[in-house]
Amino acid sequence: MWSSFWRSRDRFSLDELRYLIDQLQKVQIVNNDNKNFVIEALRSISELITYGDQHDSNYFDFFMERQVMGEFVRILMVSGTVSISLQLLQTMSIMIQNLKSERAIYYMINNEHINILITYSFDFRNEELLSHYISFLRAISGKLDKNTISLLVKTQNEEVVSFPLYVEAIRFASNEDSMIRTAVRALTLNVYHVGDESVNRFVVKAPQADYFSNLITFFQKQCIYLNGLVSETLKNPNSHTTTAIVNAVDEIEDNLYYISDVISAGIADVGRLITDNILQLLIFPLLLPSLQLDAVNDIQIGASTSLYLLCCILRIVKIKDLANTIAASLFCPPEAFVSDSETTLKGYVPDHGHETQQTENKNVIEVDGCSNNIMPSLSSSSPVHLEDIISKGVSRLTLRDALLSYITAGDDLQVLSSLRMLTTLLQTKELDATMLDALGILPQRKQNKKLLLQQALVGEDSREDQFFLSGRGFIRDGFSCELDGYLQNLKVLDALVTLFCRSNISPETLWDGGWLLRQLLLYSEAEFNNQHLELLRGLYKNYTSALLEEARGTWPDLLVTVLCDEWKRCKRAMEAPSPRKELKCMFLPLDKPSFDDVLPSESSFVAGERMCKVVKVFVLLHQLQIFSLGRALPEQPPTCPPSKIPENSRAGNAGLDVSGPKLGSELRLGCVACMIIG
């Protein structure tokens, strides 16, 4: 019988399909003698059905008439060999993926045999078999719509009680193979985007809802792994660990984009469930506690890694409640977020009220000093009311104060991480202006809009309801005067100006601080106070002297070129709509390797490195000086003395000498070359 299979026939013909099916039905058990024939028959049938779908409907009519789907299941049952399972799954995937006829697709899915194949106990210890199985499931999900999805579920009283395609797929959501994880995620998105209400209710019920908590738990492990890589790199930087960090960061960001895609499917219960899990499994127990200034032994993640992850979540997972909850948490002290293994977290309760899910969690968060009053406001199930949080807050050092402390006293990576956190909060459109104002990072342009809106709502003649004092907003009822926008903004400005005074921070990180300062003050005329201007002015004079020393040093012939180049680079950085680099660059080397530790101090390499750093900081301070005087930054280093600046400058408004910094005859930016050669 098997030898006749190889006789010459028209390969793409209905007779060929009839012959293959006839021979397949004669197989009672698959063994070594007929295994190859069965594999070839399965492969050829998929080709013929795909061909017939495009050219002749009689092919699929014959396929249905002979109930070939049932034969496929029977062959699987009598084979017991991996090779047959592999080919059968591949055959099914090819057919489902390539069928275009709605009638054919409907028949393939509206068949009890499809769910038998989905739930069959394959030996998934074979990685290739698992890969083909997941491809098979994904192929089915690609054909889902509101009509076909109903064919794959079982219902009772109009509620879905079984959905094998989804349930079997999410078992492999955390598989070690990234390709399998990607396929499972694509399948789940196909399910969510169908928009079937009964299916949507099914996926948020127990035990299916565990998928979302498992997703965040898996993400949590990736975060801890990234932190380990970062710690290792800080101790022993090399190309291997740097590459590993980039790969880990890419995967973390891919996970967050997937979470964002799930939320964008528009299933409200899923969005709230994911938000709650992110808060209760990741942010409260892991990320926020790591921001405390004094590290403790049981903290599993570093402050810089935590800040990076918070930035990623805010930037990618665009949920208003989540963003405002994270921001509101910054008003609590770091030690407030502690684990209580003896407490049980209340389960998620869907809005539709069909079922209450009770989920046990060993990492429930109690916020010390905030637990009874503030924690209800930090729930994603209801909007965050900042007035309640501030009025019930604590007087101890808050997470926001910790961020500013990192800027003023942390190392380079901590400074950069904190700056990026403030920048991300500033650029998060989901945050309310009131929240930004309370944090002290509401730009003046937005402050003015907010005040004008409040004036319009209250009415200009309602003096008793005025929200304003000395041009700054004071919110009645909800906020204490201790937390008014002016004082909070002043703290941020103090931290940034203090940052520029630090000599142990890389120039590139100082540039990021300059960018943030410019964003906060861009639209105002007198935000710098006397102390700020005096500090900046003194720093500028110090770096002017340092630049003069470099003009007498080892590299005077390159000083002008470096000065002009760094001026342009700094100007582009200051005027850019966003910071210079992606978030992942937080963990990469900020500067080229320093020669200080390997070469003598008099080495020309060390001198060149020192000269470049001096120029970068000098350029930043000079541009801040121009900016503080209310002027636009020129394309080239200016040659005219600052004494010609109009009287209505920021310095004049602050009560300082409006002539600004005087470079003197020793150094004029446009004439450095003359001085060097003199």
Side-chain angles (χ1 to χ4, degrees):
M1 175 182 70
W2 313 125
S3 61
S4 63
F5 176 78
W6 305 107
R7 69 187 179 185
S8 177
R9 295 187 304 273
D10 183 359
R11 182 181 177 187
F12 291 99
S13 67
L14 193 57
D15 287 339
E16 175 72 2
L17 179 62
R18 182 179 293 107
Y19 170 78
L20 292 172
I21 294 174
D22 285 341
Q23 297 302 316
L24 199 63
Q25 289 178 331
K26 295 177 182 179
V27 176
Q28 298 302 311
I29 188 170
V30 179
N31 52 38
N32 290 331
D33 294 333
N34 60 14
K35 180 177 65 175
N36 291 336
F37 163 75
V38 173
I39 291 174
E40 184 62 25
L42 292 173
R43 186 191 63 78
S44 299
I45 288 174
S46 66
E47 290 182 349
L48 287 166
I49 295 301
T50 301
Y51 171 83
D53 185 64
Q54 301 174 12
H55 298 89
D56 188 348
S57 61
N58 289 323
Y59 283 73
F60 202 83
D61 289 341
F62 186 75
F63 181 86
M64 292 188 295
E65 178 185 338
R66 299 294 294 269
Q67 299 183 5
V68 180
M69 285 285 289
E71 288 301 314
F72 286 170
V73 173
R74 186 183 67 82
I75 290 295
L76 180 64
M77 300 296 183
V78 299
S79 67
T81 61
V82 172
S83 57
I84 297 299
S85 298
L86 283 171
Q87 184 57 57
L88 180 59
L89 290 172
Q90 189 174 21
T91 294
M92 291 297 301
S93 297
I94 291 173
M95 292 173 60
I96 293 172
Q97 285 175 347
N98 292 283
L99 290 176
K100 305 298 181 184
S101 166
E102 291 185 7
R103 173 171 166 266
I105 295 171
Y106 188 87
Y107 173 80
M108 294 291 291
I109 296 179
N110 186 25
N111 195 304
E112 62 180 15
H113 300 303
I114 199 77
N115 275 338
I116 293 176
L117 292 175
I118 291 173
T119 57
Y120 183 77
S121 298
F122 293 100
D123 184 4
F124 291 128
R125 291 174 297 181
N126 185 296
E127 295 180 0
E128 185 180 4
L129 182 61
L130 176 58
S131 178
H132 280 283
Y133 175 75
I134 296 299
S135 296
F136 165 60
L137 299 186
R138 183 175 181 178
I140 299 173
S141 74
K143 302 298 181 180
L144 293 179
D145 56 32
K146 288 192 175 181
N147 294 320
T148 57
I149 199 171
S150 62
L151 307 176
L152 292 168
V153 302
K154 293 182 180 179
T155 59
Q156 183 177 348
N157 298 327
E158 298 185 354
E159 288 297 316
V160 175
V161 295
S162 175
F163 188 7
L165 175 67
Y166 181 82
V167 171
E168 295 300 320
I170 61 177
R171 288 173 51 203
F172 304 97
S174 300
N175 191 270
E176 293 180 357
D177 189 333
S178 61
M179 298 297 292
I180 291 177
R181 294 198 303 271
T182 299
V184 170
R185 292 176 181 184
L187 182 151
T188 59
L189 289 175
N190 288 337
V191 171
Y192 303 147
H193 282 288
V194 169
D196 185 282
E197 292 299 327
S198 60
V199 171
N200 293 346
R201 291 193 293 270
F202 175 81
V203 300
V204 297
K205 292 178 182 178
Q208 294 77 235
D210 290 343
Y211 169 68
F212 302 106
S213 60
N214 293 337
L215 178 67
I216 304 305
T217 300
F218 178 76
F219 182 75
Q220 182 190 71
K221 294 178 181 178
Q222 290 182 311
C223 296
I224 295 174
Y225 172 70
L226 172 63
N227 183 72
L229 291 175
V230 172
S231 299
E232 181 181 350
T233 302
L234 292 176
K235 296 176 182 176
N236 183 27
N238 57 68
S239 59
H240 173 74
T241 54
T242 299
T243 301
I245 286 177
V246 172
N247 293 336
V249 164
D250 287 342
E251 188 164 0
I252 281 175
E253 294 188 2
D254 286 344
N255 289 338
L256 287 174
Y257 279 115
Y258 167 68
I259 292 171
S260 177
D261 289 341
V262 171
I263 293 169
S264 68
I267 307 174
D269 290 341
V270 169
R272 284 190 286 270
L273 186 56
I274 287 179
T275 301
D276 286 341
N277 278 299
I278 290 176
L279 291 172
Q280 301 293 347
L281 299 178
L282 182 66
I283 291 177
F284 289 158
L286 185 66
L287 301 187
L288 294 182
S290 69
L291 300 184
Q292 54 189 306
L293 296 175
D294 297 325
V296 293
N297 294 330
D298 58 348
I299 296 297
Q300 301 183 68
I301 197 167
S304 298
T305 307
S306 176
L307 289 171
Y308 158 76
L309 293 167
L310 288 170
C311 288
C312 279
I313 292 171
L314 289 169
R315 182 171 59 89
I316 297 174
V317 186
K318 298 183 180 298
I319 305 177
K320 185 179 179 65
D321 287 341
L322 179 62
N324 282 280
T325 300
I326 292 174
S329 300
L330 299 179
F331 296 100
C332 289
E335 64 273 13
F337 300 90
V338 296
S339 297
D340 183 359
S341 59
E342 298 179 356
T343 311
T344 300
L345 175 66
K346 285 186 177 181
Y348 170 68
V349 183
D351 281 353
H352 48 74
H354 287 281
E355 180 176 341
T356 299
Q357 176 189 342
Q358 297 295 336
T359 305
E360 292 187 357
N361 190 318
K362 295 184 179 180
N363 290 318
V364 179
I365 305 307
E366 295 287 343
V367 180
D368 180 25
C370 306
S371 55
N372 295 329
N373 296 325
I374 296 182
M375 280 306 290
S377 299
L378 297 181
S379 169
S380 65
S381 60
S382 60
V384 176
H385 299 289
L386 185 60
E387 296 89 343
D388 294 337
I389 297 170
I390 298 300
S391 62
K392 300 169 184 176
V394 294
S395 59
R396 287 170 290 173
L397 183 72
T398 66
L399 291 171
R400 176 187 170 281
D401 295 325
L403 289 181
L404 300 183
S405 296
Y406 283 130
I407 293 175
T408 58
D411 59 33
D412 206 294
L413 183 56
Q414 291 172 335
V415 171
L416 180 59
S417 302
S418 298
L419 290 174
R420 287 302 176 91
M421 182 63 183
L422 293 175
T423 296
T424 301
L425 290 167
L426 178 66
Q427 295 183 319
T428 300
K429 296 180 180 180
E430 291 74 25
L431 279 182
D432 296 329
T434 302
M435 190 72 75
L436 291 175
D437 199 13
L439 290 169
I441 55 174
L442 183 67
Q444 280 297 309
R445 172 177 58 87
K446 293 186 177 181
Q447 287 190 29
N448 294 337
K449 285 185 178 180
K450 178 185 170 210
L451 296 178
L452 290 173
L453 176 61
Q454 290 174 336
Q455 282 179 328
L457 293 175
V458 175
E460 293 182 354
D461 296 332
S462 303
R463 294 188 179 182
E464 61 183 1
D465 288 331
Q466 289 299 315
F467 282 70
F468 318 105
L469 179 61
S470 302
R472 298 285 178 171
F474 284 75
I475 303 177
R476 57 173 187 173
D477 300 333
F479 290 94
S480 165
C481 291
E482 297 176 356
L483 293 165
D484 86 285
Y486 177 74
L487 293 179
Q488 299 309 316
N489 183 264
L490 187 60
K491 288 183 180 180
V492 178
L493 297 183
D494 286 343
L496 292 175
V497 173
T498 301
L499 171 64
F500 302 135
C501 300
R502 300 184 61 188
S503 59
N504 60 338
I505 301 300
S506 67
E508 283 76 9
T509 300
L510 295 180
W511 282 14
D512 283 341
W515 182 91
L516 180 58
L517 182 67
R518 189 170 186 272
Q519 295 299 310
L520 296 178
L521 306 182
L522 186 60
Y523 299 97
S524 181
E525 295 183 354
E527 301 87 359
F528 286 109
N529 61 23
N530 290 2
Q531 183 181 10
H532 296 153
L533 286 169
E534 289 289 0
L535 281 172
L536 290 175
R537 187 175 182 179
L539 283 171
Y540 177 76
K541 288 182 177 180
N542 292 339
Y543 272 89
T544 299
S545 300
L547 193 64
L548 284 172
E549 291 298 322
E550 294 300 329
R552 304 184 184 97
T554 308
W555 295 98
D557 52 333
L558 289 179
L559 184 58
V560 174
T561 300
V562 173
L563 185 62
C564 292
D565 289 344
E566 295 299 336
W567 180 275
K568 294 176 182 178
R569 291 182 61 242
C570 187
K571 181 178 184 296
R572 286 196 299 268
M574 293 301 102
E575 296 178 347
S578 298
R580 299 167 295 112
K581 299 178 181 179
E582 297 181 4
L583 284 175
K584 68 178 68 175
C585 295
M586 288 168 53
F587 299 129
L588 304 181
L590 301 176
D591 279 320
K592 296 179 181 179
S594 175
F595 296 103
D596 290 347
D597 298 331
V598 296
L599 294 176
S601 58
E602 65 273 11
S603 165
S604 60
F605 287 103
V606 174
E609 184 182 64
R610 182 180 60 249
M611 182 266 288
C612 289
K613 290 183 177 180
V614 169
V615 169
K616 288 178 181 179
V617 180
F618 170 81
V619 165
L620 171 65
L621 293 172
H622 188 70
Q623 292 190 6
L624 288 177
Q625 288 290 314
I626 295 175
F627 174 62
S628 71
L629 296 169
R631 300 183 63 198
L633 298 177
E635 294 296 329
Q636 297 288 341
T639 58
C640 62
S643 58
K644 297 182 180 180
I645 296 172
E647 291 291 329
N648 61 349
S649 66
R650 287 195 181 96
N653 292 334
L656 297 183
D657 183 1
V658 296
S659 63
K662 295 181 173 61
L663 299 181
S665 59
E666 289 187 82
L667 175 66
R668 292 174 55 137
L669 289 179
C671 307
V672 174
C674 296
M675 180 170 187
I676 292 174
I677 62 175

